[in-house]
Amino acid sequence: PPGQQLVTQWPVLQHDNVHKIDINKWRIKIFGLVKTEMEMDFQEFSSLPQVIVHSDIHCVTGWSKLDNVWQGPASRTIFDMASVLPSAAYVIIHAAGGFTTNLTLSDFLENDVLFTLKYNGETLTPEHGYPVRLIVPRLYLWKSAKWVDGIEFTKEDKPGLWESSGY
Ligand SMILES: Nc1nc2c(c(=O)[nH]1)N[C@H]1C(S)=C(S)[C@@H](COP(=O)(O)O)O[C@H]1N2
Ligand SMILES: [Mo]
């Protein structure tokens, strides 16, 4: 996007603290307008088919970081497994500490969207969302929730934390 500055270090930004997730307690719930509600532990989630995606990321505060490599289950894989109902039009992503962010189902299903487990071949760090982070490269980074623990399919839009703070 115009006006961005390139960075080589990856800045760390979130509304509260860095969440340190206990991998043995972590669960992800897939719920809402789905035929098959699901809850998975990390072992199950990381056994899903994975994709590798190369993309650039952009924060609305002005930095961009190019040529990133992500690896994890694609948004489409989750959508298919849960058998999302035709009435669903939005996806609400839930994360540690009650953070949420909303996106349209069509943005969610773009083929570069994934729930990444890795960054440039390495396990994510806590600062960047370990164990699971959504990456939505086309919508700046504000939809790319760190520490994801829920995926909700809805008919109505529900603005999340930044969206209801005038961001
Ligand atoms: N859980 C959570 N995820 C979040 C946020 C947040 O506040 N909480 N902020 C978003 C915003 S606005 C940005 S720019 C990126 C920053 O990601 P980074 O710290 O990995 O650079 O995280 C996104 N994901
Ligand atoms: Mo941001």
Side-chain angles (χ1 to χ4, degrees):
Q4 295 289 105
Q5 301 275 341
L6 283 183
V7 295
T8 47
Q9 292 296 98
W10 187 3
V12 175
L13 291 162
Q14 66 276 319
H15 80 287
D16 55 359
N17 53 301
V18 168
H19 291 264
K20 299 267 163 75
I21 305 297
D22 178 345
I23 201 65
N24 297 310
K25 293 198 182 127
W26 181 87
R27 299 286 183 278
I28 191 164
K29 287 199 182 75
I30 299 159
F31 62 105
L33 297 175
V34 296
K35 221 181 270 173
T36 322
E37 284 210 354
M38 290 186 296
E39 183 170 323
M40 282 177 269
D41 63 16
F42 187 71
Q43 168 71 34
E44 293 164 324
F45 192 76
S46 57
S47 305
L48 298 178
Q50 297 183 10
V51 292
I52 293 177
V53 177
H54 294 240
S55 64
D56 300 334
I57 54 177
H58 311 281
C59 177
V60 72
T61 58
W63 56 266
S64 290
K65 195 169 187 318
L66 306 182
D67 302 326
N68 309 288
V69 185
W70 314 102
Q71 182 180 334
S75 56
R76 172 67 64 177
T77 298
I78 305 299
F79 177 85
D80 289 343
M81 280 183 68
S83 302
V84 175
L85 301 176
S87 51
Y90 294 91
V91 186
I92 314 303
I93 305 295
H94 296 253
F99 177 88
T100 63
T101 189
N102 56 321
L103 57 166
T104 64
L105 191 55
S106 61
D107 284 328
F108 179 76
L109 292 176
E110 289 286 354
N111 64 10
D112 53 6
V113 175
L114 80 164
F115 290 90
T116 203
L117 308 174
K118 291 191 171 177
Y119 172 69
N120 289 349
E122 310 273 355
T123 299
L124 281 177
T125 59
E127 288 72 21
H128 294 297
Y130 173 81
V132 175
R133 177 189 195 152
L134 185 68
I135 291 289
V136 188
R138 298 181 209 214
L139 296 179
Y140 287 89
L141 211 49
W142 69 322
K143 305 297 183 182
S144 297
K146 308 195 275 191
W147 316 294
V148 174
D149 57 18
I151 308 166
E152 178 185 7
F153 294 90
T154 63
K155 185 167 190 284
E156 311 291 343
D157 196 11
K158 291 190 206 172
L161 181 113
W162 294 121
E163 296 83 4
S164 31
S165 321
Y167 198 161

